[in-house]
Amino acid sequence: MIKLTDASQNLNKYGCYIVREVADFRKVNFKKIQKDTQNLIDKLIVYTPSRSFNLSDLSTEPGIDMEKFQKTFQLGEQKISNSLFKGGEKNWSNLVPQVTIKEPLYNLPSISDLVFNPMWLDIASDYLGGPAKITFAKVKKTYGNNININSTDQKYHVDDNADEKLLKFIIYLNDVEKGNGGFHYVKNSKFNSLKENRHYFEDSEIELAFPEEDILEFIGKAGSAIFVDTLGIHKAGLISNSDRYALLINFGLKREYNGERKDQLIKKDIYDSLNTRVKPMCEFMEIKV
Ligand SMILES: [Fe+2]
């Protein structure tokens, strides 16, 4: 049973809260979500994936690194070629770390029960100090390609945000075992001095600066879920064996990036089916038939 006070206390104290025993999740067909996700990948209803990045190129020096990266990605230098993309997943699954579904709340209705749970609204609103909205939703498949492919997520970092809190909710859509792609979060790191003017960190620095029990590797069955404030230090785990599917939801009180990014879509059928209590979570989305 989830207690709202536990969630707030944990988020405020450690920067994370692991959600356990969600009764509603027993009704969720995770196999179907995976199948639907794969169908969308096969139909190329995904963003063109980006090639891996050499993690050693990621400077852990103060200041410049995040900016340099954002520029690289904005220029699209890392995207795979159009012809490679059009050839389908088999052509790129050994070249890229992951692929992301386009407009998941429009194209993937099977996730709606997972996303629109009044409990998430309560937890997020309580932590953020106001009526929380979904500011971004993402469904991604991370490839277990075992060829040392890395993404920028896989180095310890803090997310870039001007706000004081950045709340994300991660739900695994398949089982994630130890050492195979689990999300890593460093408890009590949000206000640590190591973070000053820096975005990326070496594993060795983290191991030195924090006690072992604060370095959390989040693993679990499909439906395992965690709320995290990603202004604390975190990284995605490296995957070796099997592909990993995950749903990520960002919560906020304002639109991300000062509202410069286009609102995500939600399918009208999904929106109409929501109860009035959770509907306001969609304020920053565009309803489309
Ligand atoms: Fe991150």
Side-chain angles (χ1 to χ4, degrees):
M1 188 59 195
I2 303 167
K3 278 202 204 122
L4 186 57
T5 44
D6 284 357
S8 307
Q9 270 173 15
N10 278 274
L11 272 165
N12 282 309
K13 202 168 166 193
Y14 307 119
C16 61
Y17 173 66
I18 297 175
V19 176
R20 294 197 194 280
E21 296 170 48
V22 184
D24 295 3
F25 281 6
R26 284 182 223 130
K27 293 182 283 181
V28 175
N29 186 342
F30 287 98
K31 285 260 172 341
K32 177 170 172 19
I33 299 176
Q34 260 188 60
K35 211 173 130 215
D36 292 350
T37 305
Q38 189 56 52
N39 264 330
L40 292 169
I41 297 170
D42 294 341
K43 288 187 199 153
L44 300 182
I45 304 178
V46 293
Y47 294 104
T48 307
S50 296
R51 282 177 192 272
S52 59
F53 209 95
N54 186 349
L55 286 193
S56 58
D57 288 350
L58 252 181
S59 161
T60 53
E61 297 299 311
I64 50 151
D65 46 344
M66 185 61 100
E67 213 178 313
K68 189 177 118 195
F69 257 124
Q70 281 169 346
K71 276 205 186 109
T72 315
F73 279 110
Q74 276 160 13
L75 292 172
E77 282 171 12
Q78 300 298 316
K79 299 251 182 240
I80 58 167
S81 73
N82 212 20
S83 58
L84 208 53
F85 177 64
K86 291 249 165 71
E89 188 183 37
K90 63 180 187 312
N91 285 335
W92 76 64
S93 62
N94 276 333
L95 300 174
V96 304
Q98 63 198 30
V99 66
T100 308
I101 301 299
K102 267 186 184 165
E103 305 288 1
L105 287 168
Y106 186 82
N107 293 313
L108 192 56
S110 46
I111 58 168
S112 61
D113 285 343
L114 281 180
V115 175
F116 295 105
N117 185 318
M119 184 50 83
W120 314 154
L121 174 66
D122 290 346
I123 292 174
S125 300
D126 197 54
Y127 181 63
L128 296 170
K133 327 280 182 214
I134 293 170
T135 55
F136 198 70
K138 187 198 268 188
V139 171
K140 67 176 183 180
K141 176 180 183 182
T142 313
Y143 293 112
N145 37 28
N146 201 18
I147 50 168
N148 211 15
I149 279 179
N150 300 310
S151 79
T152 55
D153 296 347
Q154 286 165 329
K155 191 170 186 115
Y156 276 117
H157 66 281
V158 290
D159 290 349
D160 199 22
N161 192 294
D163 262 339
E164 283 165 27
K165 290 175 177 176
L166 188 50
L167 187 61
K168 292 196 183 183
F169 187 41
I170 302 168
I171 305 175
Y172 291 157
L173 302 174
N174 64 313
D175 300 353
V176 175
E177 287 161 14
K178 196 167 169 49
N180 200 29
F183 177 80
H184 287 60
Y185 191 82
V186 185
K187 287 160 102 177
N188 306 313
S189 62
K190 186 173 167 179
F191 300 106
N192 192 283
S193 58
L194 194 66
K195 269 184 58 188
E196 239 160 77
N197 200 23
R198 297 203 20 208
H199 289 291
Y200 287 97
F201 312 89
E202 300 297 339
D203 285 11
S204 53
E205 283 181 284
I206 298 299
E207 283 154 21
L208 259 178
F210 294 90
E212 209 181 321
E213 62 268 24
D214 279 359
I215 304 173
L216 173 80
E217 178 185 2
F218 178 58
I219 53 167
K221 298 262 174 219
S224 297
I226 185 170
F227 274 97
V228 283
D229 187 329
T230 52
L231 297 182
I233 299 172
H234 62 281
K235 68 173 181 178
L238 293 169
I239 300 194
S240 53
N241 300 327
S242 49
D243 300 337
R244 192 195 79 167
Y245 296 81
L247 162 66
L248 293 92
I249 310 165
N250 296 6
F251 291 98
L253 302 178
K254 295 184 290 189
R255 283 180 168 83
E256 291 182 15
Y257 301 102
N258 300 317
E260 285 162 22
R261 196 161 62 183
K262 212 172 147 273
D263 286 355
Q264 277 190 304
L265 302 179
I266 181 165
K267 206 171 187 65
K268 189 168 182 306
D269 295 354
I270 299 178
Y271 182 78
D272 289 344
S273 72
L274 300 176
N275 73 43
T276 46
R277 192 152 112 72
V278 295
K279 264 188 178 150
M281 290 164 88
C282 306
E283 195 184 313
F284 302 154
M285 284 181 216
E286 185 189 327
I287 303 160
K288 195 181 158 195
V289 178

